[in-house]
Amino acid sequence: MTDLTTNDSPSPITQTTLDQGKTQRQSSDRQMLQTLIEHLKIRSNAPATLLVITPHCSLDCWLQLFREALNRPQLLVWAQRRSMRLTGMTLRNGALYAKNATTPSVTLSDDSGWRRFTPPILHIAHVIDPDAIGLPCPPPKDQNPPLQLSARQVLRFYGYPQPQNRIQREMVIEEMSRL
């Protein structure tokens, strides 16, 4: 058994612990894919439908990283000085949009200082939302609501395109069912 002790934690991380986490994530990914399959079978032409993200799946892990990147103390102080509530905002193409806004609140090119916080946030956002549809900024972890994304975003995260017709939908369902 390999002992991987970290400086942050007094308890060691063992290979068994890592294997258990991997098993849990794989099981949760299967559940998330099953949710997608059911969505495609029932609501074939609804890419904007929000799906609840299965806890502990790969997408949930990335969303938790996104949440942590948005809740860094320096960023929260910066947002508070501007009377901005990040929760409820949407990140799209590097800009933050308030709920239902068509113009961004802050962008990478303005003088707001947003740019200095963006490297980890944008990297994570690109993994989760490669099409830049718009990634909602999740509430802090202590509020613990279920995380949701559009069916199209979940499909893209798992490497599938949004099916445009019945044949494509059946092919995507078949491929996901094999996993």
Side-chain angles (χ1 to χ4, degrees):
M1 189 179 302
T2 306
D3 186 355
L4 305 170
T5 305
T6 64
N7 295 335
D8 300 329
S9 176
S11 59
I13 299 172
T14 63
Q15 188 63 45
T16 302
T17 304
L18 293 174
D19 291 342
Q20 289 169 345
K22 180 180 178 183
T23 301
Q24 182 180 31
R25 190 182 69 253
Q26 289 172 336
S27 173
S28 296
D29 280 330
R30 282 191 294 276
Q31 289 174 354
M32 190 74 247
L33 288 176
Q34 190 58 44
T35 299
L36 276 171
I37 290 169
E38 294 305 316
H39 167 77
L40 290 172
K41 286 180 179 177
I42 296 169
R43 297 187 170 178
S44 59
N45 295 323
T49 300
L50 293 179
L51 300 178
V52 174
I53 306 305
T54 304
H56 310 294
C57 71
S58 297
L59 180 53
D60 180 61
C61 293
W62 279 100
L63 286 167
Q64 297 304 333
L65 284 175
F66 184 63
R67 174 184 275 156
E68 287 178 28
L70 287 170
N71 283 293
R72 291 178 299 173
Q74 303 90 344
L75 177 57
L76 295 176
V77 168
W78 172 85
Q80 186 177 22
R81 285 188 194 142
R82 284 156 188 75
S83 300
M84 292 173 64
R85 289 192 60 232
L86 295 176
T87 299
M89 296 190 89
T90 300
L91 177 69
R92 186 172 53 248
N93 292 323
L96 282 174
Y97 292 81
K99 195 170 203 124
N100 300 320
T102 55
T103 58
S105 300
V106 293
T107 67
L108 293 171
S109 60
D110 65 21
D111 62 356
S112 67
W114 167 239
R115 177 181 279 284
R116 70 182 167 160
F117 300 108
T118 60
I121 295 168
L122 295 181
H123 176 75
I124 296 165
H126 182 69
V127 171
I128 298 170
D129 184 25
D131 295 338
I133 295 167
L135 198 53
C137 298
K141 199 171 194 169
D142 60 353
Q143 293 179 12
N144 207 23
L147 297 174
Q148 298 180 341
L149 287 179
S150 72
R152 179 178 172 196
Q153 287 171 304
V154 178
L155 278 165
R156 284 290 289 131
F157 175 82
Y158 282 101
Y160 297 101
Q162 175 64 42
Q164 301 301 313
N165 56 49
R166 182 186 58 79
I167 293 171
Q168 288 178 354
R169 189 173 65 252
E170 288 173 1
M171 288 175 61
V172 169
I173 290 170
E174 182 181 325
E175 179 64 28
M176 284 191 292
S177 296
R178 276 190 257 167
L179 297 176

